[in-house]
Amino acid sequence: MTAHAVVAGVRRRARLTTLVLAVLAAALLLLALSVGTAVVSLPDVLSTLAGQGSRATDYIVLERRLPRAMTALLVGAAFGLSGAVLQSLLGNPLASPDVIGISAGAGASAVTAIVVFGAAGPPVALAALLGALLTAALMYVLAWRDGVTGYRLVLVGIGLAAILLSVTSYFMTRSQVTSAQDALVWLTGSLNESGLDELVPLAIALTILVPATAISARALDLLAFGDDTASGLGVEVRRTRLALLVCAVALAGTATAAAGPIAFVALLSAPIGRRLARDGGPALLPSALTGAVIVAAADFAAQHAPGLPQVPVGVLTGAIGAPYLLFLLARMNRGGHGG
Amino acid sequence: MTEHTLAEHTLTATDLRLAYDRREVVHGLSVAVPPGKMTMIVGPNACGKSTLLRGLARLLAPVGGTVELDGRDISTIPGREVATVLGILPQSPAAPEGITVADLVGRGRYPHQGWFRRWTAQDDAAVNEALTATDTIELAARPVAELSGGQRQRVWIAMALAQRTDLLLLDEPTTYLDVAHQVEVLDLLVDLNVTSGTTIVVVLHDLNLACRYADHLIAMRDGAILAEGAPADVVTTDVIERVFGMRSRIIPDPLSGTPMVVPESRHRMENSA
C-alpha cells in the first residue's frame, strides 16, 4: 500500500465519520421538532421549516420547539469542541471544562448572581461567562512557571474547582429555598427554559469562536507532538496555545451561560470523536458533532422517554459521564501516571 | 526537488548566549555553519551542544547575541517561514497515540500548507520520497507505536525530510539505536547531503562516528567551542584531552582513514608500552 493510499484512507474515514454524525444530528433535530404533546408529522415539520407551515405548526415547531432544539445542538457542539481543544492542547483526557474548574467557576458566579443579587435570565448567563473566563485567567496565572504545561494546568484547575464548588455550596446553604431551587436547576444544566433569549447570544458567540478555533486547528494538531517538534514545523507555540485556551474557555463559558454546566458532555465528546475519526489528530469537527448529538439525544430522552419524569438534561448526561470519568481515573492509576 | 536550492542558505550565530531559567548554558559563542556540508557537534555531557542546536533552530530564544538565517535575525522571521528553510529533529520526539507512519510523515508538510488543510500532489510526492529515502514505505500503514527503535527513528527522519528544507538539524538522531542502525542513519544523512546538497548539522555522542561522517567537526566544552574544522585537522590528543578531560591515542580509522580516538583507561592497557 502506498503512503498516498494510507493517507487517503484515513481522510476518507474522517470525512465519513463527520457525515454520519451530521446526519444523526439533523435527524435528532427533526425528531425534536416533531415529537411532543402535539405530534407534528415529519412532512409538516419540513414544510414548516421551509416557510410553508400553518399557523399552528408555525407556533409549535418554530416558536416552541426550534429554539430549544437548536440550543441543545449548539450547546453540545460548543462543549464538544471545547473539550476536544482542551484535551488535545493539554495532552490530558481529564482536561475538560467540567473537570478543571471552568464550569465550577461559571457555576459559582451564576449562583452568586441568582442567590445574592436575585438575578434571572440574561444577567445570570453573563455572570456565568465572566466566571468561566476569570477562572481560566486565574488558573493560567497560578500554573505559570516560565510557560504553562498541561499537567500543571490540570492540577491547578482541579484545585480551583474544589474551592469554587465550596463557594457555590456556601451560597446555596445561605439562600432562600426558592432561589436555591432556581440555582440548583441551573447548576444541573437544563434546557427547560431555553428560548430565543438563550439561542441568539449563543449563536452569535459561536459564529466568532468556531472560526477562531478552526484557524488554529492544524497548529493544535502539531502541538501534540511536543513543543520542539511543533515549533520546528513553524508553529508559534506560546501564542497558539494561549489563543486556543481562550477560545476553548469562551466556548465552554458561552455554552454554560446558555444552558448551565451540562455535566460531562465536554469530557465525553472528544474521546468518542477521536475514536470515530481515528486520524491521530484532535478530531475537532467530529467531537463537536458528537457533543451536539449527545445533548440533543439526552434532552430528547429527558423530555419524552416513557417512565422518566421531566428531568434536566444534565441529570442524564451526568449518569452517562460519571462512570466514564471513573473509568479514566482507574485506567490512569494502573498506568502509573497522571496523564 | 523543486523546493531545493542547492545550499543557498546560511546559518550563523554571533556572541550567542543561551540559558534555561537564567542558568546560562552557552556563553557568547560564535559559529558559522558551512553550507552544503555535514557538520557534527561533539562534546562531553552537559557541554551545551543540544542547547546550541536548539538556539540555532529558533527553539530557544537567546539571552544575548543573535542567530542569523540568511543574514536576517532568526527571531524576527515568522516560524512558518523558518520552517520552510530549516528543519529540526529534536531529541527523542513523541508521537500522539495511534498515529500511523504515513500520517506522522505527512505532518512534515505543515509549513508548506495554507491555514486550512490543502493536501496537494506535491505533498504526496514529498511524503513518498521521504518514505522511500528512509526505507520506511513498507511501514506506511503501521502505527508508529508498534515500530522498533530503529524503524521509529527512520520514520522521524522521514518526517524531517518531508519538510524538504535546505538546512537540517538533528539532535542525537542515533540515541537508543544499536551500532548497525547508527551507521544506517548516518549513511542516510550522507545520501541526503550528497544527492540534495542539504546542509546537515548533527549533535552526536559517538566521537569516532562523528570523525568518520563529519566534513566539519565542532568540539564544545562548558558552553564554548574549543576547536572546529575538518576532523583530520581538529582531532589531536591535546584537543581530546581538553574537551573530554581524557588521555587517548589517535590512529587512522582502518576503513575511512579518518581519525579514530582510542581512550586510555586505568585497566586493560597491556599493549600500551
Side-chain angles (χ1 to χ4, degrees):
Chain A
M1 203 185 323
T2 69
H4 176 65
V6 176
V7 172
V10 168
R11 299 251 146 80
R12 220 176 6 253
R13 194 191 155 87
R15 267 202 299 274
L16 188 67
T17 308
T18 306
L19 188 69
V20 169
L21 285 168
V23 168
L24 206 55
L28 281 163
L29 175 66
L30 292 180
L31 201 60
L33 296 181
S34 160
V35 178
T37 353
V39 176
V40 179
S41 76
L42 214 52
D44 284 349
V45 168
L46 290 172
S47 64
T48 307
L49 285 177
Q52 313 282 313
S54 66
R55 270 182 62 183
T57 57
D58 271 358
Y59 174 71
I60 295 172
V61 172
L62 297 183
E63 283 184 43
R64 300 288 303 165
R65 294 181 188 162
L66 188 60
R68 176 176 186 154
M70 282 304 295
T71 307
L73 286 176
L74 293 185
V75 161
F79 276 131
L81 187 56
S82 171
V85 169
L86 284 175
Q87 289 178 15
S88 181
L89 190 61
L90 306 182
N92 192 318
L94 278 178
S96 142
D98 20 27
V99 177
I100 62 170
I102 311 287
S103 301
S109 173
V111 166
T112 309
I114 294 171
V115 169
V116 179
F117 300 103
V124 177
L126 194 63
L129 178 57
L130 284 178
L133 293 172
L134 274 177
T135 308
L138 190 62
M139 190 170 80
Y140 197 78
V141 170
L142 288 176
W144 180 272
R145 186 178 286 169
D146 198 32
V148 166
T149 67
Y151 196 53
R152 281 178 63 80
L153 210 62
V154 170
L155 287 180
V156 168
I158 290 174
L160 271 181
I163 296 171
L164 290 163
L165 286 177
S166 57
V167 170
T168 304
S169 302
Y170 173 77
F171 281 121
M172 294 287 280
T173 53
R174 307 276 298 183
S175 67
Q176 301 289 326
V177 174
T178 47
S179 57
Q181 173 77 24
D182 288 347
L184 196 59
V185 169
W186 190 92
L187 277 176
T188 316
S190 170
L191 292 160
N192 288 339
E193 306 296 322
S194 290
L196 282 178
D197 282 351
E198 283 73 32
L199 179 59
V200 170
L202 177 65
I204 294 172
L206 291 190
T207 52
I208 300 163
L209 291 173
V210 171
T213 309
I215 284 172
S216 303
R218 303 206 38 232
L220 172 65
D221 166 50
L222 292 178
L223 286 174
F225 293 77
D227 287 5
D228 277 2
T229 303
S231 182
L233 287 170
V235 176
E236 307 285 355
V237 171
R238 274 192 190 174
R239 198 200 308 160
T240 306
R241 184 168 285 148
L242 185 61
L244 280 165
L245 204 58
V246 170
C247 283
V249 169
L251 279 166
T254 43
T256 310
I262 302 178
F264 296 121
V265 175
L267 182 73
L268 276 172
S269 302
I272 297 174
R274 270 200 304 275
R275 210 144 294 175
L276 290 174
R278 227 187 285 165
D279 64 349
L284 295 186
L285 191 54
S287 302
L289 288 169
T290 304
V293 167
I294 289 178
V295 174
D299 190 46
F300 186 80
Q303 287 182 83
H304 307 301
L308 276 180
Q310 282 240 352
V311 290
V313 59
V315 173
L316 278 186
T317 58
I320 307 166
Y324 173 71
L325 180 60
L326 285 177
F327 162 76
L328 264 188
L329 291 171
R331 200 184 58 169
M332 270 180 187
N333 250 359
R334 260 210 305 285
H337 58 83
Chain B
M1 299 248 260
T2 49
E3 284 159 33
H4 272 301
T5 42
L6 283 174
E8 293 289 314
H9 298 282
T10 62
L11 185 63
T12 57
T14 314
D15 299 325
L16 184 64
R17 295 194 298 121
L18 297 166
Y20 293 110
D21 279 339
R22 279 180 234 109
R23 187 173 56 86
E24 196 171 288
V25 179
V26 168
H27 316 286
L29 173 158
S30 297
V31 67
V33 173
K37 296 273 200 291
M38 293 266 288
T39 298
M40 304 258 169
I41 307 176
V42 296
N45 295 334
C47 70
K49 53 191 192 296
S50 288
T51 308
L52 172 61
L53 201 74
R54 299 187 71 230
L56 288 174
R58 194 184 177 274
L59 299 185
L60 192 61
V63 290
T66 54
V67 173
E68 288 184 352
L69 179 64
D70 300 332
R72 287 163 71 196
D73 184 343
I74 200 168
S75 62
T76 65
I77 310 176
R80 265 253 172 99
E81 198 183 327
V82 172
T84 58
V85 177
L86 186 156
I88 166 104
L89 183 60
Q91 201 173 346
S92 26
E97 240 178 286
I99 192 170
T100 63
V101 169
D103 254 334
L104 177 72
V105 176
R107 298 300 199 274
R109 298 303 299 163
Y110 174 78
H112 299 286
Q113 292 167 332
W115 274 12
F116 294 98
R117 188 180 290 269
R118 275 196 309 272
W119 191 260
T120 62
Q122 201 177 25
D123 294 329
D124 259 334
V127 168
N128 262 313
E129 197 178 280
L131 289 170
T132 310
T134 51
D135 198 17
T136 50
I137 198 139
E138 300 299 320
L139 307 175
R142 298 260 303 272
V144 174
E146 286 177 8
L147 305 181
S148 72
Q151 289 172 327
R152 205 173 302 168
Q153 196 59 33
R154 284 190 315 210
V155 167
W156 280 106
I157 292 174
M159 183 180 100
L161 295 192
Q163 202 176 334
R164 282 198 178 166
T165 55
D166 192 38
L167 279 151
L168 184 56
L169 278 47
L170 304 99
D171 193 356
E172 308 234 15
T174 58
T175 323
Y176 307 124
L177 300 185
D178 61 47
V179 64
H181 285 111
Q182 290 180 28
V183 168
E184 196 177 288
V185 163
L186 292 169
D187 274 338
L188 172 64
L189 295 178
V190 176
D191 288 341
L192 184 68
N193 170 255
V194 170
T195 57
S196 316
T198 307
T199 303
I200 292 176
V201 183
V202 188
V203 167
L204 206 66
H205 229 77
D206 190 304
L207 190 55
N208 289 329
L209 286 178
C211 288
R212 178 184 285 190
Y213 282 97
D215 297 314
H216 189 80
L217 194 72
I218 295 177
M220 285 183 69
R221 172 163 196 151
D222 297 331
I225 293 177
L226 288 194
E228 63 173 316
D233 303 333
V234 170
V235 177
T236 61
T237 51
D238 177 51
V239 166
I240 295 302
E241 178 147 16
R242 280 195 297 136
V243 171
F244 290 96
M246 172 191 82
R247 292 169 57 75
S248 63
R249 193 171 296 177
I250 289 162
I251 57 173
D253 182 325
L255 296 182
S256 61
T258 52
M260 195 162 98
V261 178
V262 183
E264 283 185 15
S265 53
R266 287 192 296 110
H267 297 292
R268 314 278 168 149
M269 297 272 290
E270 283 82 4
N271 294 339
S272 64

